[in-house]
Amino acid sequence: MAQQRTSAELPIRDERVIDGKAFAAGLRGRVADAVAGIKAGHGLTPGLAVVLVGENAASKVYVKNKALQTAEAGMKSFRHDLPVETTQDELLALVAELNADPAVHGILVQLPLPDQIDSHAVLAAIDPDKDVDGFHVVNAGRLSTGTGGPLVPCTPLGCLMLLKAYVGDLTGKRAVIVGRSNIVGKPMAQLLLGENCTVTVAHSRTRDLDAECRRADILVAAVGRPEMIRGDWIAPGATVIDVGINRIDAGGGKTRLVGDVAFDEALEKAGLITPVPGGVGPMTIACLLANTVTAACRQQGIEEPDFSA
Ligand SMILES: NC(=O)c1ccc[n+]([C@@H]2O[C@H](COP(=O)([O-])OP(=O)(O)OC[C@H]3O[C@@H](n4cnc5c(N)ncnc54)[C@H](OP(=O)(O)O)[C@@H]3O)[C@@H](O)[C@H]2O)c1
C-alpha cells in the first residue's frame, strides 16, 4: 500500500495548498515596516504586554513566541509571568496597571487561566482599546454591529486575510463554519458576513453536517476533532480553511499535529486548502502584532496602516 503523505511533508509548491507560513512572514514584514515608519514619523514605539499565569507548557511556548516576534517587529515587549497561585484580585490589579500604562498599547492575558480565576472577569477588565486578542464584549459587539472599529480576534482575522489574498472577492460565496466558539467560529461568521458571504454556522447539534459542508464554497473548520471533516464532505473546488490543531499519536512514542480536516482526502476535492501545520497557525501571532500596531495608532490618533494588502 502506498504510504500516505502528511501535510507537513507535502511540497508546499502545490498551488492548491495555501502557504500560511510564507504569508505570515510577509505580514510580519509589513508590520515591522509600519513600526519603523511610526517610530520615525511619530516617535512612538508600539508596546505589547503579555501576561502568563502558571506553568502550562503549551502556553509558555505561545507566550515565548509572541514576545520574540513582538521584539523582532521592532515593538516593545513586556512579559509578566505570575505564579500559578496568583489570585483574581492580583491579576485584576496588574490589568489595571497595564490599562493605565501609556507605553502599553496592547494587553494579552494568555488563556487558559488557573481555576481560581474567572477568565471572563479578567477579559472584561482589559481596556477594549488595548484588547489585541479582540475577546472583550465591546469588541465582539463592535464586530457584530460593524461599528466603532473593533479589534478583531487574531485567528479569524488571519483566516480572512488568507481568504481575501487567495480567493479575492468573497461576495455571494456560501461559507460554512464548523464551530461556534467566541474566539474562532462566531467572529469568523461576522467577518465573512461583512464580506457579503452567505454564512452558515454549524456545531455539535447540527443535523446532516456532511451535507451542510458539501454546500460550502468556503469551508472553515474550527472544531478541535482530529480529521473529522472527510474528503467527501467537500464540494469540488471549495476553499478549505482548517483552524484545528490536534496532537495525535504517530506511533513509536511520537506524536504529530493534524487539523480538523482529513488533509489528503480533502486535497483530492478542494480548490484551495490550508495545511496543518503551516496554514492558519502562523497567521495568529502575525495578526496579534498587526492588532498591536493598529491599537497603538488608534490610541495616538495616528493613521492606521492597512495590513490587508
Ligand atoms: N490556529 C490557531 O492559531 C488556533 C487558534 C484557536 C483555536 N485553534 C484550534 O481550533 C480548534 C477549535 O478551537 P476553539 O477554541 O474554537 O474550540 P472550542 O471552543 O472547543 O469550540 C469547538 C466548536 O466545535 C463544535 N463541535 C465540537 N464537536 C463537534 C462535532 N462533532 N460536530 C460539529 N461541531 C462540533 C462545538 O460545538 P458546540 O458549541 O455545540 O459544543 C464548538 O462550537 C481547536 O483545534 C483549537 O486548537 C487554533
Side-chain angles (χ1 to χ4, degrees), residues 62 155 178-185 202-206 209 221-225 228 233 242-246 258 260 280-285:
Y62 292 143
T155 300
V178 190
R180 56 174 163 180
S181 72
N182 288 335
I183 64 170
V184 187
H203 46 77
S204 66
R205 313 292 173 88
T206 296
L209 183 60
V223 186
R225 294 191 183 270
M228 185 187 83
W233 296 23
D242 190 353
V243 181
I245 301 178
N246 309 288
V258 297
D260 291 340
V280 173
M283 290 299 291
T284 298
I285 299 185

Side-chain angles (χ1 to χ4, degrees), residues 55-271:
E55 300 288 332
N56 180 306
S59 293
K60 278 171 121 172
V61 174
Y62 292 143
V63 163
K64 188 175 150 207
N65 288 336
K66 285 167 186 173
L68 201 73
Q69 293 185 24
T70 303
E72 277 172 7
M75 295 191 276
K76 281 189 200 142
S77 166
F78 306 95
R79 283 261 322 244
H80 294 269
D81 290 354
L82 306 182
V84 69
E85 62 274 11
T86 300
T87 65
Q88 181 161 320
D89 284 348
E90 286 167 338
L91 183 53
L92 289 173
L94 174 59
V95 168
E97 221 176 88
L98 298 173
N99 280 343
D101 186 342
V104 172
H105 304 96
I107 302 169
L108 182 148
V109 177
Q110 185 67 44
L111 301 177
L113 290 167
D115 289 347
Q116 74 275 14
I117 299 175
D118 173 4
S119 51
H120 296 292
V122 174
L123 295 182
I126 296 172
D127 178 344
D129 295 335
K130 294 190 176 185
D131 168 39
V132 282
D133 253 343
F135 295 162
H136 195 290
V137 286
V138 166
N139 281 315
R142 286 172 178 163
L143 179 61
S144 70
T145 54
T147 57
L151 287 164
V152 176
C154 302
T155 300
L157 180 59
C159 294
L160 183 70
M161 283 186 187
L162 292 176
L163 281 168
K164 286 172 81 167
Y166 281 82
V167 177
D169 185 10
L170 305 180
T171 299
K173 303 272 186 208
R174 279 190 300 268
V176 175
I177 300 156
V178 190
R180 56 174 163 180
S181 72
N182 288 335
I183 64 170
V184 187
K186 283 179 194 161
M188 189 77 248
Q190 297 295 351
L191 288 171
L192 291 173
L193 266 181
E195 297 298 323
N196 303 312
C197 291
T198 303
V199 178
T200 300
V201 182
H203 46 77
S204 66
R205 313 292 173 88
T206 296
R207 272 186 288 143
D208 303 327
L209 183 60
D210 54 338
E212 291 293 347
C213 291
R214 266 192 294 274
R215 284 148 42 115
D217 301 313
I218 294 168
L219 179 62
V220 180
V223 186
R225 294 191 183 270
E227 300 179 328
M228 185 187 83
I229 292 172
R230 311 308 308 185
D232 64 356
W233 296 23
I234 292 163
T239 299
V240 179
I241 303 290
D242 190 353
V243 181
I245 301 178
N246 309 288
R247 190 165 286 284
I248 62 165
D249 189 354
K254 295 193 174 156
T255 62
R256 67 185 177 97
L257 289 182
V258 297
D260 291 340
V261 177
F263 182 86
D264 294 315
E265 290 177 18
L267 192 56
E268 304 294 321
K269 301 290 285 292

